[in-house]
Amino acid sequence: MQVLSVIGYLILAPLAGGLLDGIDRIISARMQRRKGPPLLQPFYDIGKLFSKEVIAVNNVQMLLNLSYLVFLAIAGSMLFAGKDILMCLFILSTADMFLIMGASSDSSPYANLGAGREMIQMMAYEPLTLIVAVGFYLSSGSFQVSDIIGQQYSSVLFMPGMLLGFMFTAAIKFRKSPFDLSTSHHAHQEMVKGLTTEMSGPTLAIMNIAEYYEMILILGIFCLFFLNGNWWSWPLAIAACAVIFFLETLWDNASARLKWKTLLDSCWVITLLFGGVNLLILMLLK
Amino acid sequence: MAKVSKSPWLLHYDASSCNGCDIEVLDCLTPKYDIERFGIINTGDPFQADILLITGGVNSQTEPVVKQLYSQIPEPKVVVAVGICACTGGVFKECYNIKGGIDTVIPVDVYVPGCAARPEAIIDGVVQAVAILDKKREEYRRQKNAK
Ligand code: SF4
């Protein structure tokens, strides 16, 4: 079962991620009264990127991007294998470090600025991510994903505040406005393409595939909030993920990019208010 | 197969345009014309672009920039000159600082006339450029295999 779900994740996550990205682009277009690209556009993009000439700006960028991909895949596999959630989140942060190193390995000032901003973004979402992991531990008595989804009640009953907080910070992970400081899927003229400025062709394609793995991983964590021992919690979790994803798209289209200071302040206030208070109540209850 | 033609990404550069053509290029992104329905994205990044869209004639200050942008775009790539200035130099042709059309510095594949070029004409030019892009891609693949 475990092996199956890991293999399923490794194969299906990029496909599902690409499809979600396609849906996201169409919904965004409709919100702006445009027709939007075809549903399979992300796959066309990746296919094209692989067929382009390789312009290597240095020897390590490709390697670092590959590490980003591999580490994300490992982090996701841990979640889908039902292993330790804390470990999974740590590997997720490690993966991000590879991306930052990859971006700062080249000489473009835009990429370096993007890498700096990515670091700030990590500082913004990391505290809440840890609080969420502790929240899972307090509500289920274990860090193991398999125990968390085997509980009698969904974790969200104990940690609604953390869910709201996690929805807030997930916009950073999804690279959605207003938090798309380091790079974004849309035209990003103020510092060209940020983090990915010097990535071209296959290097960018690999980064995109890694992002799809990450997207599914984050949605998987959202699922954890809703899953419990009963079968009906699965459709419920998937429906909740769909709603959350739609809300992120809506928010993306309704807001403009923030400055990094506002990002940091707002994320930490949300972390304290929703995550911290929720954690305190949980500690008193349990 | 036709992979590039399904996701051509644009890079727009203003060589010395009066801004008339630039506005029309931006017009193509608006809901009315919506070039994203062809999978086209307006990137600001030469490393990720397939089509170089240039408005305005080349002068001595923008010449090195145009050359550099062109060299930074990975193969296969095409160049579209938008507006009469970019095609031939237009009304500024005789100016002391203008070198002439874009083709005086880099090879141009598609010329889009008009002052300012209409969004419909620009989209048409881009669609023609996409066809050329496909041909170039075939060539590029053959060259790579031959190596
Ligand atoms: S073609 Fe006309 S509108 Fe376009 S840049 Fe030249 S003068 Fe301006």
Side-chain angles (χ1 to χ4, degrees):
Chain A
M1 194 54 208
Q2 264 182 27
V3 181
L4 270 185
S5 92
V6 168
I7 293 177
Y9 171 73
L10 290 179
I11 297 172
L12 293 181
L15 299 179
L19 270 183
L20 276 177
D21 191 19
I23 294 172
D24 174 43
R25 281 174 72 174
I26 292 181
I27 295 179
S28 299
R30 294 295 150 85
M31 284 175 182
Q32 299 161 9
R33 295 211 182 168
R34 293 188 288 116
K35 185 163 174 292
L39 179 62
L40 297 181
Q41 189 61 43
F43 299 107
Y44 300 147
D45 289 347
I46 286 187
K48 175 205 72 177
L49 287 173
F50 273 118
S51 77
K52 294 280 281 186
E53 178 190 18
V54 187
I55 296 188
V57 284
N58 57 36
N59 305 333
V60 290
Q61 191 166 58
M62 187 65 166
L63 185 72
L64 288 170
N65 265 15
L66 274 173
S67 316
Y68 177 53
L69 174 70
V70 169
F71 271 81
L72 271 177
I74 294 176
S77 305
M78 292 201 65
L79 183 79
F80 280 78
K83 293 277 180 265
D84 198 332
I85 174 117
L86 205 55
M87 202 62 198
C88 160
L89 292 175
F90 281 138
I91 298 179
L92 187 61
S93 321
T94 318
D96 233 11
M97 285 316 294
F98 279 106
L99 181 66
I100 291 173
M101 283 198 284
S104 38
S105 73
D106 56 44
S107 54
S108 158
Y110 301 112
N112 290 336
L113 212 59
R117 288 185 177 188
E118 178 78 12
M119 215 108 77
I120 294 170
Q121 287 181 346
M122 274 180 81
M123 270 165 64
Y125 66 70
E126 214 56 57
L128 187 83
T129 319
L130 288 180
I131 289 184
V132 166
V134 175
F136 279 128
Y137 175 75
L138 287 177
S139 63
S140 70
S142 157
F143 277 121
Q144 299 291 324
V145 172
S146 47
D147 294 338
I148 297 172
I149 62 175
Q151 296 177 83
Q152 201 181 352
Y153 304 107
S154 302
S155 314
V156 69
L157 297 179
F158 302 107
M159 37 204 286
M162 290 184 197
L163 176 65
L164 287 178
F166 198 60
M167 276 165 72
F168 190 81
T169 51
I172 304 180
K173 278 276 171 203
F174 289 140
R175 302 199 184 287
K176 295 263 185 233
S177 194
F179 299 148
D180 51 352
L181 299 184
S182 64
T183 182
S184 104
H185 304 291
H186 312 295
H188 194 287
Q189 309 287 359
E190 115 233 28
M191 41 175 224
V192 194
K193 275 279 176 181
L195 214 56
T196 60
T197 301
E198 300 236 315
M199 299 180 187
S200 65
T203 325
L204 184 66
I206 284 174
M207 143 103 188
N208 277 350
I209 296 175
E211 297 275 282
Y212 294 149
Y213 272 117
E214 186 175 27
M215 193 175 189
I216 299 300
L217 169 56
I218 301 292
L219 287 177
I221 296 179
F222 273 118
C223 281
L224 277 192
F225 280 95
F226 295 95
L227 289 179
N228 58 34
N230 303 313
W231 68 266
W232 49 259
S233 66
W234 289 86
L236 178 76
I238 291 172
C241 277
V243 171
I244 289 170
F245 193 72
F246 177 78
L247 287 178
E248 298 283 355
T249 310
L250 183 67
W251 202 27
D252 183 26
N253 280 289
S255 59
R257 188 170 302 135
L258 290 175
K259 290 188 191 164
W260 68 267
K261 240 181 128 71
T262 326
L263 163 83
L264 213 53
D265 293 347
S266 58
C267 278
W268 281 1
V269 166
I270 291 283
T271 303
L272 260 183
L273 270 186
F274 288 89
V277 172
N278 196 166
L279 191 68
L280 277 181
I281 297 174
L282 204 55
M283 277 157 80
L284 291 177
L285 277 179
K286 290 267 171 173
Chain B
M1 261 316 281
K3 276 173 191 157
V4 186
S5 56
K6 283 195 165 157
S7 104
W9 292 1
L10 291 182
L11 171 67
H12 168 217
Y13 179 65
D14 170 2
S16 73
S17 140
C18 73
N19 243 322
C21 285
D22 300 317
I23 301 293
E24 298 303 321
V25 169
L26 290 181
D27 259 1
C28 301
L29 301 170
T30 56
K32 183 162 181 192
Y33 298 105
D34 184 27
I35 48 169
E36 206 197 353
R37 68 200 144 105
F38 301 117
I40 299 173
I41 293 182
N42 187 11
T43 76
D45 186 353
F47 279 96
Q48 299 172 8
D50 307 294
I51 301 178
L52 177 55
L53 214 68
I54 303 190
T55 50
V58 176
N59 61 28
S60 38
Q61 281 200 17
T62 54
E63 183 188 349
V65 184
V66 170
K67 280 185 180 157
Q68 188 180 4
L69 285 179
Y70 183 73
S71 69
Q72 279 179 338
I73 299 180
E75 291 286 348
K77 57 189 164 192
V78 287
V79 178
V80 182
V82 173
I84 224 53
C85 292
C87 296
T88 65
V91 282
F92 304 112
K93 194 177 171 68
E94 304 296 323
C95 287
Y96 65 92
N97 59 334
I98 292 280
K99 287 203 73 177
I102 303 300
D103 50 8
T104 52
V105 245
I106 53 171
V108 172
D109 299 279
V110 182
Y111 297 86
V112 179
C115 174
R118 298 176 65 87
E120 290 90 343
I122 298 176
I123 292 177
D124 196 39
V126 169
V127 170
Q128 284 184 30
V130 164
I132 299 178
L133 201 55
D134 265 345
K135 252 183 250 154
K136 287 201 174 179
R137 181 172 163 268
E138 274 305 302
E139 242 165 70
Y140 173 69
R141 224 184 30 194
R142 228 175 293 138
Q143 272 175 14
K144 214 164 72 172
N145 289 344
K147 256 180 215 166

